[in-house]
Amino acid sequence: MPAKLSVNLNAIAMLRNRRDLPWPSVEGLGRIALAAGASGLTVHPRPDQRHIRFSDLPVIRNLIDDEFPTAEFNIEGYPTDEFLDLCAGAAPEQVTLVPDDPSQATSDHGWDFRKHQAFLTDVVARLKKMGCRVSLFADGDGDAEAVKLAKATGADRIELYTGPYGGCYDAPERAAPILEALGRTADAALAIGLAVNAGHDLTVANLPDLVKRIPALAEVSIGHGLTADALEFGMAETVRRFCRACGQTV
């Protein structure tokens, strides 16, 4: 099965928040994305609410439940008690745990599974009791032992941090070894029963090589590049372009 596309709405929310106005509409563009073929919507509600606001979560939950019941809601974030309370209220199908400091501009590394295994094991158990599938943000550096530690937390998936791969947009000669390390990480995860997602700085241009190297890739979560393309092509056509880049027929 081709990788599914989850559209990250953070950049849309950040644009909305520049003015005290209801547009661009997070709900409205999420609706367009799902109608065009996206399999889900992703948000990362940070404590300062600088893009997605806590009040957006029930709106997105209702959009999916009422209009797109086969789609999934994926919530990303660092697992503070506040974040876990948000998850309990929004009932996402998937929670992706990231090791972000609240001051970070964006996620830029995976978990240190050796250092945080006990902490993550407790958090994963809490989320599983809520009925959520749990994915852990992971460096795609080929470290098979780290992947085993991720599996030991009880998580269902890892999400490969693809930032370094995406950063090769102006130096394609650097992409091959990074892609291979991502592939080795995925191979190690799949071999022990962890499904594999990916996200960060993925584009229509670099997705095909990623899904070719990791044909069992379950899902990609894409926000910045997709939103940038939507300014040129419109949201619906952009979603279709990204779905095709994932190997889907749309």
Side-chain angles (χ1 to χ4, degrees):
M1 292 289 292
K4 295 180 177 180
L5 171 66
S6 185
V7 173
N8 189 313
L9 300 171
N10 287 3
I12 294 166
M14 183 175 287
L15 181 59
R16 175 200 62 190
N17 294 354
R18 294 182 69 246
R19 298 287 187 271
D20 188 21
L21 296 167
W23 60 80
S25 168
V26 170
E27 177 188 15
L29 285 164
R31 178 181 290 110
I32 293 170
L34 292 172
S39 296
L41 301 175
T42 292
V43 298
H44 186 154
R46 293 180 179 274
D48 62 7
Q49 302 187 68
R50 64 180 180 265
H51 34 63
I52 286 295
R53 297 168 178 160
F54 300 161
S55 58
D56 291 321
L57 301 185
V59 174
I60 297 168
R61 177 74 273 169
N62 290 338
L63 169 66
I64 291 172
D65 290 345
D66 295 344
E67 301 181 37
F68 302 93
T70 62
E72 291 193 350
F73 193 11
N74 173 48
I75 299 182
E76 298 181 347
Y78 182 85
T80 61
D81 287 338
E82 181 180 42
F83 175 81
L84 295 174
D85 287 344
L86 290 173
C87 292
E93 283 72 25
Q94 178 174 267
V95 175
T96 301
L97 300 178
V98 297
D100 284 7
D101 182 279
S103 65
Q104 284 183 222
T106 186
S107 304
D108 62 8
H109 64 285
W111 287 98
D112 181 339
F113 294 113
R114 294 172 178 83
K115 181 177 180 180
H116 296 116
Q117 184 182 17
F119 170 66
L120 289 170
T121 298
D122 176 67
V123 172
V124 168
R126 293 173 64 180
L127 289 167
K128 297 294 279 290
K129 286 181 180 178
M130 298 179 197
C132 305
R133 182 172 69 239
V134 182
S135 180
L136 302 178
F137 214 49
D139 291 317
D141 55 7
D143 186 344
E145 183 61 31
V147 170
K148 291 179 182 178
L149 295 174
K151 170 71 172 177
T153 67
D156 305 286
R157 299 184 179 185
I158 58 170
E159 178 174 327
L160 298 172
Y161 168 55
T162 53
Y165 175 63
C168 295
Y169 67 93
D170 59 348
E173 70 279 0
R174 294 185 5 243
I178 298 173
L179 178 60
E180 181 54 31
L182 289 165
R184 291 198 309 272
T185 309
D187 293 343
L190 293 164
I192 59 174
L194 275 176
V196 178
N197 297 341
H200 214 84
D201 295 337
L202 294 174
T203 66
V204 168
N206 63 29
L207 261 172
D209 284 344
L210 182 70
V211 299
K212 181 178 180 180
R213 176 58 183 83
I214 311 173
L217 191 64
E219 176 185 289
V220 292
S221 174
I222 306 176
H224 183 83
L226 189 148
T227 304
D229 279 10
L231 294 174
E232 182 175 357
F233 300 103
M235 177 59 79
E237 178 57 23
T238 294
V239 166
R240 290 190 285 267
R241 283 162 52 85
F242 272 85
C243 286
R244 288 192 288 267
C246 288
Q248 300 177 32
T249 301
V250 296

